[in-house]
């Protein structure tokens, strides 16, 4: 029983992060207030507020269009979430999630005191096990890997028969 629990230990984390990032992305894409340059709750206001309190103000300055960035961020969050849920290119998707979380931590939630009240740092740390281990079970990655292994074994058996 313990071995089975250890085998599937990352599955709840994958589901949580995947659902959360899909929800965050879709929430941004469907919020007209967020997808504007001015007004309460807009990406423009968020970026102006984060500019002076971020650890790396230059990150905020790099954005040429707040609304364009908001759409890109929302699409990236959705893609990362869907990939992690499906277990497709999980390590790469988790690295993308970690990069998003790191960017948000260094800009939007950097000023949160004490630091453990800010959720972006916790998300950054939560992505780390998936970067390291991927999705070895109940994933498209494992299905692809098992099919490759089966094909490789079949080719190996055929080449031994013909030799």
């Amino acid at each position: 029983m313990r071995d089975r629990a250890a085998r599937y230990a990352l599955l709840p984390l994958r589901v949580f992060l995947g659902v959360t990032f899909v929800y965050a992305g879709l929430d941004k894409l469907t919020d007209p207030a967020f997808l504007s340059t001015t007004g309460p709750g807009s990406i423009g206001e968020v970026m102006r507020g984060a500019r002076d309190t971020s650890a790396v103000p230059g990150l905020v300055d790099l954005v040429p269009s707040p609304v364009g960035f908001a759409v890109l961020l929302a699409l990236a969050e959705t893609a990362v979430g869907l990939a992690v849920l499906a277990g497709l290119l999980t390590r790469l998707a988790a690295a993308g999630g970690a990069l998003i979380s790191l960017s948000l931590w260094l800009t939007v939630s950097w000023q949160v005191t004490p630091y453990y009240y800010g959720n972006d740092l916790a998300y950054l740390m939560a992505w780390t096990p998936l970067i390291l281990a991927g999705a070895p079970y109940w994933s498209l990655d494992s299905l692809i890997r098992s099919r490759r292994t089966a094909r490789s074994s079949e080719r190996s058996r055929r080449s031994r028969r013909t030799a």
Side-chain angles (χ1 to χ4, degrees):
M1 184 68 162
R2 230 178 243 198
D3 289 340
R4 179 173 278 168
R7 186 178 310 145
Y8 297 108
L10 292 179
L11 191 57
L13 183 62
R14 243 180 73 204
V15 170
F16 171 75
L17 289 171
V19 168
T20 300
F21 266 55
V22 168
Y23 178 79
L26 294 178
D27 187 46
K28 288 175 179 69
L29 287 172
T30 59
D31 184 356
F34 183 75
L35 293 175
S36 59
T37 54
T38 59
S42 70
I43 185 66
E45 293 298 318
V46 170
M47 291 180 76
R48 279 187 285 285
R51 167 63 177 81
D52 296 330
T53 58
S54 72
V56 187
L59 281 177
V60 180
D61 295 337
L62 286 174
V63 176
S65 165
V67 174
F69 174 74
V71 170
L72 182 66
L73 174 63
L75 291 174
E77 286 174 332
T78 304
V80 163
L82 289 173
V84 167
L85 282 172
L88 180 63
L89 301 172
T90 308
R91 286 186 167 120
L92 181 62
L99 184 61
I100 291 169
S101 298
L102 175 64
S103 300
L104 292 173
W105 177 56
L106 290 175
T107 54
V108 178
S109 61
W110 180 258
Q111 76 281 0
V112 175
T113 305
Y115 76 92
Y116 51 83
Y117 282 165
N119 61 349
D120 294 313
L121 180 59
Y123 281 111
L124 173 61
M125 294 299 110
W127 286 113
T128 305
L130 294 178
I131 292 169
L132 296 172
Y137 299 100
W138 288 6
S139 67
L140 291 175
D141 288 344
S142 66
L143 181 66
I144 292 166
R145 190 172 31 259
S146 67
R147 286 189 178 176
R148 278 187 192 151
T149 302
R151 274 187 287 208
S152 175
S153 295
E154 182 60 31
R155 273 189 239 124
S156 176
R157 277 194 296 268
R158 275 187 266 162
S159 67
R160 278 184 285 198
R161 280 188 233 150
T162 60

